[in-house]
Amino acid sequence: MIPLYMGYHYQKIYRKHVFSYLSRFFLLYAFIGLSSNIFFYVRSSTLNLRDYWLVLFPVSQGYFVYAVSCVLLFCSIPILVHWLQQTSFDVLKKIAIVSTFMFVLLPTLFGKDIWAFQDGQNFVWIFYLFFLGYILSRLDWHKKMKFSFVHLCLSIGILFGLILLMTKFSLVVRSDASTANRFSTPYTLFFMYYTVSLFTILEQLSQKIKLRVSGPVVSTSLITTLTLTSWALIAHRVSQYEKRFFPNSGRAWLMNIFEFAGIYLLATLIFILVCLVLQKTWVFKKLNSYLTFDSLTHLVQKLQTVKSWIYRRRSIFYVGLFFYFFTFLQIFLLEKKDTWKQAIQVAIQLFASRQSTVILTTFIILAFFLLLLLLTNRFWYVFSFTLVIDLLLTVSTVIKYKLREEPVYPSDLKMLNGLSELLAMVSPVIIISGIVIVLFLTISSIIIQRKLQHRYALKFNWKKRITGIAILTVMLSGVFFINHKNSPSYLLFNLFRVNKTFFNQKDAVRENGPIIQFLNNLDIKIMDEPEGYSKTKIEQIMKKYEKEAEKINETRNDWLENQTLILNLSESFSDPSRVPNLTVETNPIPTITKIMNETTSGEMLSVGYGGGTANIEWQGLTGLDISNLSPTLVTPYTQLVDAQKTSPNITNLFDEKIAIHPFTASLYKRKDVFEKFGFDKFYYVDSPDKLTYTDKVGDSRYISDESAYKETLKALKSNEETTQFIQLSTMQNHMPYGDFYDQLDYTAEGSAVIDSRKHELLTFMQGIHYTDEAIKEFINELDNIQKPITFVFYGDHLPALYSGNDMKKYGLEHHETDYFIYSNAYSRKQLQKVSKKVVSPNNFSALAFEQANIKVTPFYALLTQVANELPASTIDPISSVSNRYNGKQIFVTDKNKMISEKELSKEQKSILADYNYIQYDLVAGEQYSATWAEQKIEK
């Protein structure tokens, strides 16, 4: 209809300066695109640089083929009309007949898109429609065509009839409806009949009612409608975030369609009105004046102006270009490459996939350079200083990466006090080379600066310099807020797809480069300081819980010489039957279900979904609550433990401490963390303390839970004389869930899992069944060991399989796993079953000691009060979906109801305050209570 209209009313267009409209078209489209991106960010909290690139350059991804074709036609109309008017009308009619035969009749006969018209989007087809409209205009078609309404009804009837007929044929011949639309594509005779009929009757109506609509209204309406309905990006976002479950009722289905169409229509109308008002604003007119051009000659003049502006500032652009390639080299040096061939492949891959990282790093360096330049107006001094800083960070990162497989952290700057010790670890060749480079840059910059001062000096007045300094200072200060959710720098880093997986600093620095990863780790606040924090306050709390420990211990038993505790984190373990909108036919975990019915058990609140294992592990070992920490501290193992002078944890209570993790230990810095925590032995793949049992189930890549429990039994039986603590993290049910097992015995149905991932769910269910069988054997073995053993079993998080559910609606259910505390036969005489339906990982130690009915230290008396008197606490499950940001703290009662701190009783608030004071003191304060928290049970 649009190209037909342009051809029919060519006289309204061809005398205009068509190029002058392009800038307005583009600004309207860009406004709608940006507004849509912002809308969907609010809806889904997702940012993607590609989305904004497409706003500016949609053609680069093949978007808007139809719109681009129409714009090309619009720009070509003066030339086309001039040629058409110079040509005999008889010749034009013959051309129209031949082109219609080729473009309409032949595709109809063959039933194929023989000219690659792409459903009517190709520019050749668009130009043909314009030509057809021109011919119809010269024929005064709307005046000559009689019974236009009859023609329209007939054309619609033919179209619908052919669709129904072809559907029947297709079902008979192909057993599907793949050819149902064979004759209803834009370039078939029947569709063209409908198009011309509809166009004619609309034209006749407009002539009768004397309808006159201004050009800006028409163009604004077309651009808005086309963008909102045809842009693949918006279509993807709508289908991704506005989808609904398919209703059982046909009436409900139809109402949903009408509702959705109404919302879309309303949004379009609102956008049209906003865009019409926008075009009258000063900002729009100013931008339009910068971008508009009347002719190609005028465009060349504008480009020459831009070229001149860049040339006058070429030195700044050269600096940006230099640091662009320098950043590329930084990242290249961190990649593994053993041969020249691999080096070339790595370089190509980096260039193709890391542009966003390189560009963002270049912008940051350039902003730092410009700030110093505006402050000093000494180009070469600033350039050399910036380069030296960048070189130092690059070299130190490469050296540290090779030695410890991690980047340079901001906290490492504290080590500069021991500079001589640091230099002793570095090759003398590197030190000498570094000194030579620094001396060369210093001397050369002094010489060049003195000789070329006038050429490179800034010509800005003081007002512009001060304004520039203020803007750049504010921009660069954003590096201290990179991990503050929804801050400008947070959004910018997300926009450039910066890897914020703090648990794997090795891979993150390879992906982000030294500078961005350094800045990533800069914005880390451990915990807000409680009001009134002081040594006196901490001492008061310690004395309070010393008395509480004495009170608790009056009814508790002494620790036996070989008292034993096992904390078992079972990777991704969770009962799928508890997942909303999922029905499990047969229980895959009958043994664990039976144990949970007979002993202390319930649901554990996980701060992660599909990930975040070490965060749960940290809470279990330390008794501290991650929801008390700052939003910027998302991974305590990598961001906190190094910063602590001492790290009190449950191992302090035991004589022998063993960690078993049948997987690599490179993630989360576990080797360093467990060493600081005081573990005597750490069994992992390729560890000095070798794993004895490494069998796997089927084709799984992970060591089986059965092997992990055998390893644990070996450790248990090797020590019957002293107290023993074992931290066991099993890995069998870690993602991905491929075709691992020979048989899949369990099924589930429901909308919680999308069809493409149901096989993964079946694999997961088979895996947890093997865990169930391993637990059954392990429990039997524990009952045969003649020493008191308390066994805490819990899943760390749900697997990320339930994307069919709305996280905002089922966030809590998606952050609850299963736990139980089991006492072996030897210790069952003094067993005291605990009633705690919903727990946090930091409750486990206190609950285990309570079930074992053994004495506690003052610190664990505090944890006992927290476990028994406070509802379980966690991060708001809706705000912590990504495992990369700590949301607000919430509490969950045993009735599975979420409440806030305000809803706690006065006594509960007092206990929570005591707990927060102690936690702050241990993780971010002066550690007045560290020795108190580390003390052992007096025997």
Side-chain angles (χ1 to χ4, degrees):
M1 297 290 287
I2 294 171
L4 267 177
Y5 179 89
M6 287 195 286
Y8 204 84
H9 295 279
Y10 68 93
Q11 292 177 335
K12 298 178 180 180
I13 302 173
Y14 87 102
R15 295 186 183 278
K16 294 182 179 293
H17 296 290
V18 289
F19 290 110
S20 63
Y21 291 88
L22 297 183
S23 59
R24 185 165 61 85
F25 293 166
F26 175 77
L27 287 173
L28 288 174
Y29 154 73
F31 170 74
I32 298 167
L34 287 171
S35 301
S36 301
N37 282 352
I38 293 169
F39 172 79
F40 286 111
Y41 169 73
V42 173
R43 295 285 294 172
S44 60
S45 296
T46 56
L47 275 173
N48 193 333
L49 183 63
R50 180 175 176 271
D51 295 349
Y52 293 86
W53 170 266
L54 291 176
V55 170
L56 299 176
F57 304 102
V59 182
S60 67
Q61 300 293 320
Y63 284 7
F64 291 113
V65 176
Y66 175 79
V68 172
S69 299
C70 286
V71 170
L72 287 174
L73 171 62
F74 182 74
C75 294
S76 305
I77 284 177
I79 299 172
L80 287 174
V81 172
H82 178 74
W83 175 79
L84 290 170
Q85 289 180 336
Q86 298 296 318
T87 307
S88 165
F89 189 61
D90 289 334
V91 173
L92 293 178
K93 285 193 287 185
K94 292 177 182 178
I95 293 174
I97 293 170
V98 172
S99 59
T100 301
F101 176 80
M102 292 175 60
F103 294 158
V104 178
L105 285 176
L106 288 181
T108 305
L109 292 172
F110 289 104
K112 300 288 184 182
D113 183 11
I114 58 176
W115 305 110
F117 285 151
Q118 301 173 312
D119 289 330
Q121 298 187 62
N122 186 281
F123 77 95
V124 175
W125 175 254
I126 300 299
F127 275 66
Y128 162 73
L129 290 174
F130 170 82
F131 177 64
L132 183 63
Y134 177 85
I135 296 297
L136 294 176
S137 175
R138 293 282 295 269
L139 293 172
D140 285 331
W141 184 261
H142 71 279
K143 297 178 180 177
K144 294 181 179 179
M145 186 175 180
K146 306 298 182 183
F147 310 109
S148 55
F149 184 74
V150 175
H151 281 288
L152 178 62
C153 293
L154 182 61
S155 65
I156 293 173
I158 292 172
L159 271 182
F160 274 95
L162 285 171
I163 291 172
L164 293 173
L165 182 63
M166 288 307 299
T167 301
K168 293 288 185 182
F169 275 117
S170 187
L171 288 172
V172 172
V173 177
R174 300 172 177 266
S175 300
D176 59 30
S178 58
T179 60
N181 294 325
R182 179 173 178 177
F183 295 112
S184 58
T185 51
Y187 40 79
T188 61
L189 178 63
F190 309 105
F191 203 93
M192 279 301 298
Y193 177 35
Y194 159 71
T195 301
V196 173
S197 300
L198 177 61
F199 176 81
T200 304
I201 197 168
L202 290 175
E203 188 62 29
Q204 290 172 346
L205 286 172
S206 68
Q207 293 293 333
K208 285 182 180 180
I209 63 177
K210 305 297 182 181
L211 181 64
R212 295 292 182 269
V213 183
S214 67
V217 172
V218 173
S219 60
T220 301
S221 301
L222 288 174
I223 292 169
T224 303
T225 306
L226 188 64
T227 305
L228 294 182
T229 58
S230 302
W231 194 14
L233 181 63
I234 293 180
H236 168 72
R237 294 294 189 193
V238 169
S239 62
Q240 187 73 20
Y241 298 109
E242 310 299 326
K243 62 186 176 184
R244 295 183 179 180
F245 294 116
F246 195 85
N248 295 325
S249 164
R251 180 176 176 274
W253 174 78
L254 191 61
M255 291 304 295
N256 279 349
I257 288 179
F258 280 120
E259 179 187 348
F260 188 77
I263 292 170
Y264 227 109
L265 179 60
L266 180 62
T268 305
L269 291 173
I270 291 172
F271 261 111
I272 291 171
L273 292 174
V274 170
C275 287
L276 288 171
V277 173
L278 179 69
Q279 292 173 72
K280 299 181 182 296
T281 62
W282 175 84
V283 175
F284 187 93
K285 290 177 180 177
K286 193 72 174 176
L287 285 173
N288 192 44
S289 68
Y290 282 129
L291 297 176
T292 191
F293 56 94
D294 295 331
S295 62
L296 293 177
T297 303
H298 191 192
L299 175 61
V300 172
Q301 291 174 352
K302 291 249 179 183
L303 294 176
Q304 286 290 350
T305 304
V306 173
K307 181 181 176 182
S308 299
W309 184 88
I310 293 173
Y311 183 77
R312 290 195 301 270
R313 295 160 179 80
R314 61 190 182 280
S315 58
I316 305 297
F317 285 96
Y318 289 151
V319 170
L321 193 62
F322 173 84
F323 281 110
Y324 171 87
F325 287 108
F326 190 85
T327 301
F328 184 88
L329 179 63
Q330 283 179 325
I331 301 174
F332 178 78
L333 290 173
L334 294 172
E335 293 288 343
K336 183 180 179 181
K337 46 208 175 300
D338 298 324
T339 64
W340 278 106
K341 185 177 179 181
Q342 287 181 350
I344 293 171
Q345 289 175 339
V346 166
I348 294 172
Q349 195 243 347
L350 290 180
F351 186 80
S353 63
R354 303 282 181 84
Q355 285 298 321
S356 61
T357 300
V358 175
I359 291 171
L360 177 60
T361 305
T362 305
F363 283 160
I364 293 170
I365 297 172
L366 198 56
F368 177 75
F369 169 84
L370 288 173
L371 177 60
L372 295 182
L373 182 61
L374 287 170
L375 287 169
T376 65
N377 202 11
R378 298 293 185 270
F379 182 91
W380 286 101
Y381 292 167
V382 171
F383 175 77
S384 297
F385 179 76
T386 305
L387 179 57
V388 168
I389 295 296
D390 209 355
L391 274 170
L392 285 173
L393 185 58
T394 302
V395 173
S396 55
T397 300
V398 170
I399 292 172
K400 192 179 180 188
Y401 184 85
K402 288 182 178 178
L403 291 175
R404 300 186 58 181
E405 295 189 333
E406 64 182 17
V408 171
Y409 298 107
S411 58
D412 291 338
L413 297 179
K414 298 175 184 177
M415 298 175 66
L416 292 176
N417 293 329
L419 186 59
S420 58
E421 290 83 357
L422 285 175
L423 293 176
M425 304 178 198
V426 182
S427 168
V429 175
I430 295 176
I431 296 173
I432 295 171
S433 300
I435 293 172
V436 170
I437 291 171
V438 171
L439 286 174
F440 172 77
L441 288 172
T442 303
I443 295 169
S444 61
S445 63
I446 292 172
I447 294 171
I448 298 173
Q449 181 64 42
R450 287 180 177 177
K451 289 188 174 183
L452 302 176
Q453 166 66 20
H454 297 293
R455 180 182 299 180
Y456 289 95
L458 295 173
K459 304 300 190 295
F460 294 158
N461 58 42
W462 275 104
K463 288 183 179 180
K464 289 184 177 180
R465 285 184 68 179
I466 292 171
T467 302
I469 290 169
I471 293 171
L472 289 169
T473 301
V474 171
M475 287 174 58
L476 290 171
S477 66
V479 301
F480 299 103
F481 304 94
I482 288 170
N483 296 317
H484 284 63
K485 193 173 185 182
N486 291 329
S487 68
S489 51
Y490 174 91
L491 296 176
L492 179 67
F493 271 48
N494 274 12
L495 182 64
F496 279 83
R497 312 303 291 174
V498 170
N499 182 348
K500 290 191 176 183
T501 50
F502 293 98
F503 69 89
N504 190 344
Q505 297 277 353
K506 173 188 173 183
D507 286 352
V509 72
R510 284 176 54 237
E511 187 172 337
N512 296 331
I515 290 177
I516 287 181
Q517 194 59 20
F518 184 86
L519 297 177
N520 257 348
N521 290 296
L522 186 65
D523 174 30
I524 296 174
K525 182 179 181 181
I526 296 174
M527 183 176 172
D528 292 330
E529 181 178 325
E531 186 178 350
Y533 168 74
S534 66
K535 184 177 182 180
T536 303
K537 182 66 178 178
I538 296 300
E539 287 175 345
Q540 289 175 353
I541 296 172
M542 290 192 292
K543 288 178 181 178
K544 176 181 177 179
Y545 287 96
E546 284 167 4
K547 294 179 181 178
E548 183 65 30
E550 291 175 1
K551 181 180 177 182
I552 292 173
N553 291 340
E554 287 176 0
T555 58
R556 297 277 186 98
N557 298 315
D558 290 329
W559 282 46
L560 297 179
E561 292 295 326
N562 52 3
Q563 196 76 43
T564 301
L565 173 63
I566 305 168
L567 279 185
N568 177 198
L569 181 154
S570 182
E571 172 63 40
S572 298
F573 185 90
S574 55
D575 184 357
S577 67
R578 290 194 299 101
V579 175
N581 302 311
L582 191 70
T583 303
V584 177
E585 301 296 332
T586 306
N587 183 11
I589 49 172
T591 300
I592 292 174
T593 302
K594 183 174 181 294
I595 295 171
M596 290 180 68
N597 290 332
E598 296 172 351
T599 188
T600 301
S601 65
E603 283 80 54
M604 185 208 78
L605 299 177
S606 173
V607 295
Y609 171 71
T613 300
N615 291 351
I616 292 91
E617 195 174 80
W618 176 82
Q619 292 181 92
L621 290 171
T622 63
L624 302 179
D625 186 355
I626 198 171
S627 67
N628 283 334
L629 301 180
S630 164
T632 62
L633 201 153
V634 295
T635 312
Y637 271 11
T638 61
Q639 297 176 286
L640 170 62
V641 177
D642 271 351
Q644 291 178 282
K645 186 175 181 181
T646 59
S647 300
N649 65 89
I650 196 171
T651 66
N652 304 136
L653 304 178
F654 295 85
D655 298 320
E656 184 181 44
K657 313 100 170 181
I658 296 172
I660 300 172
H661 181 62
F663 192 58
T664 177
S666 60
L667 298 182
Y668 297 107
K669 299 181 68 176
R670 271 196 179 89
K671 287 185 283 187
D672 295 339
V673 170
F674 283 0
E675 182 179 348
K676 190 163 188 176
F677 277 6
F679 282 98
D680 302 311
K681 295 180 180 179
F682 182 19
Y683 295 93
Y684 58 91
V685 174
D686 298 327
S687 64
D689 302 310
K690 297 294 183 183
L691 288 167
T692 304
Y693 303 96
T694 57
D695 291 340
K696 301 173 182 178
V697 181
D699 295 326
S700 174
R701 67 179 68 175
Y702 301 108
I703 293 173
S704 69
D705 286 0
E706 181 183 4
S707 294
Y709 290 126
K710 286 180 179 178
E711 197 75 45
T712 307
L713 288 169
K714 178 188 173 186
L716 287 170
K717 293 174 182 178
S718 68
N719 180 6
E720 297 184 358
E721 290 78 31
T722 66
T723 59
Q724 187 182 45
F725 171 75
I726 297 177
Q727 166 61 37
L728 169 64
S729 298
T730 56
M731 290 297 294
Q732 175 185 284
N733 297 311
H734 198 287
M735 65 175 295
Y737 307 106
D739 293 322
F740 297 153
Y741 309 125
D742 295 333
Q743 58 186 46
L744 298 175
D745 300 323
Y746 301 94
T747 59
E749 293 295 333
S751 59
V753 181
I754 60 176
D755 291 340
S756 62
R757 304 201 69 180
K758 283 187 176 177
H759 185 78
E760 294 180 67
L761 175 65
L762 303 186
T763 301
F764 169 75
M765 291 171 66
Q766 190 68 36
I768 62 173
H769 173 69
Y770 292 136
T771 298
D772 188 76
E773 291 180 334
I775 285 286
K776 182 178 181 179
E777 182 62 29
F778 183 61
I779 292 290
N780 290 337
E781 291 291 334
L782 290 184
D783 284 336
N784 292 328
I785 297 176
Q786 298 303 300
K787 67 174 182 176
I789 301 173
T790 304
F791 174 50
V792 180
F793 173 91
Y794 64 97
D796 57 344
H797 54 74
L798 271 70
L801 294 174
Y802 308 114
S803 55
N805 279 343
D806 182 354
M807 188 64 77
K808 292 182 179 179
K809 184 177 181 180
Y810 301 112
L812 180 59
E813 291 86 347
H814 282 202
H815 286 78
E816 289 182 323
T817 65
D818 305 270
Y819 91 94
F820 67 78
I821 302 176
Y822 181 84
S823 297
N824 73 334
Y826 187 90
S827 62
R828 212 163 291 157
K829 291 180 181 178
Q830 63 184 44
L831 167 68
Q832 181 177 312
K833 186 177 178 180
V834 182
S835 177
K836 187 73 173 176
K837 179 67 176 173
V838 181
V839 303
S840 299
N842 49 295
N843 298 148
F844 283 141
S845 55
L847 295 176
F849 296 151
E850 186 172 356
Q851 173 154 315
N853 200 25
I854 54 178
K855 293 181 178 180
V856 294
T857 65
F859 176 64
Y860 286 90
L862 169 60
L863 296 187
T864 302
Q865 284 284 78
V866 170
N868 289 335
E869 302 301 327
L870 292 178
S873 57
T874 188
I875 295 167
D876 184 354
I878 295 175
S879 65
S880 64
V881 173
S882 68
N883 306 316
R884 296 182 184 180
Y885 180 81
N886 294 342
K888 67 180 181 180
Q889 183 183 55
I890 56 105
F891 298 85
V892 181
T893 68
D894 274 358
K895 294 182 179 180
N896 224 35
K897 178 185 176 184
M898 290 193 296
I899 62 174
S900 66
E901 183 180 341
K902 294 179 181 179
E903 298 174 77
L904 299 178
S905 68
K906 185 177 180 181
E907 183 182 351
Q908 287 175 324
K909 289 178 180 177
S910 176
I911 296 170
L912 179 62
D914 292 341
Y915 182 52
N916 287 345
Y917 275 115
I918 294 298
Q919 176 160 338
Y920 176 80
D921 182 59
L922 293 175
V923 300
E926 299 299 325
Q927 293 204 319
Y928 301 123
S929 61
T931 303
W932 175 79
E934 288 183 319
Q935 65 183 297
K936 296 181 68 170
I937 297 292
E938 293 183 6
K939 297 180 182 178

